[in-house]
Amino acid sequence: MDRAGDEPHRGDDYTMKTLSGPGGASAAQRERLAGNVSATTPAQTKVRAAIGVLVARFPRIDETFILREINELERQGQPVVLIPLLRDYSKVVHEEAKPWLRRALYLPLFSST
């Protein structure tokens, strides 16, 4: 035992055998656990539809929480389309907002250049 009251480490073989029993992991899950990257077939790969994030103005330095949320969505693989109703012409722009300036979908009816 490693520490008082802890069970000894049983290793990956024990985990794989446990997962293969009734109610255990599927064959694909066991393959992924074993480190087999090819366990996901193209048919299992899903393409996520983009989420549109509608904001009143962009970029706004005081609304960094929205910026953090859309960055986290993309980090997790969720495509995002940023749609500001009005273009904000601030002198100060958050560093993480700069890449979104090119990607934002400004509506010409509301935003004048």
Side-chain angles (χ1 to χ4, degrees):
M1 287 193 215
D2 297 338
R3 289 174 269 158
D6 284 352
E7 290 188 25
H9 178 67
R10 295 182 185 182
D12 292 334
D13 290 337
Y14 173 78
T15 303
M16 295 304 289
K17 288 176 187 171
T18 303
L19 290 175
S20 63
S26 68
Q29 289 169 326
R30 288 192 304 275
E31 288 293 318
R32 274 182 255 136
L33 282 172
N36 185 353
V37 180
S38 64
T40 303
T41 62
Q44 292 172 325
T45 305
K46 294 182 180 178
V47 177
R48 293 180 175 184
I51 292 177
V53 177
L54 185 67
V55 295
R57 293 179 183 268
F58 187 81
R60 295 283 303 218
I61 196 73
D62 59 345
E63 293 186 357
T64 56
F65 67 95
I66 293 172
L67 182 60
R68 289 186 187 123
E69 291 295 319
I70 61 176
N71 283 337
E72 181 62 20
L73 283 168
E74 285 219 326
R75 188 191 69 77
Q76 293 184 15
Q78 176 61 58
V80 175
V81 176
L82 180 63
I83 309 166
L85 295 177
L86 298 170
R87 184 184 301 257
D88 196 40
Y89 295 99
S90 301
K91 292 182 181 180
V92 178
V93 177
H94 196 284
E95 279 299 315
E96 291 183 28
K98 289 180 181 178
W100 287 98
L101 292 173
R102 294 183 299 274
R103 295 178 54 189
L105 180 62
Y106 292 100
L107 302 175
L109 180 62
F110 295 109
S111 295
S112 61
T113 54

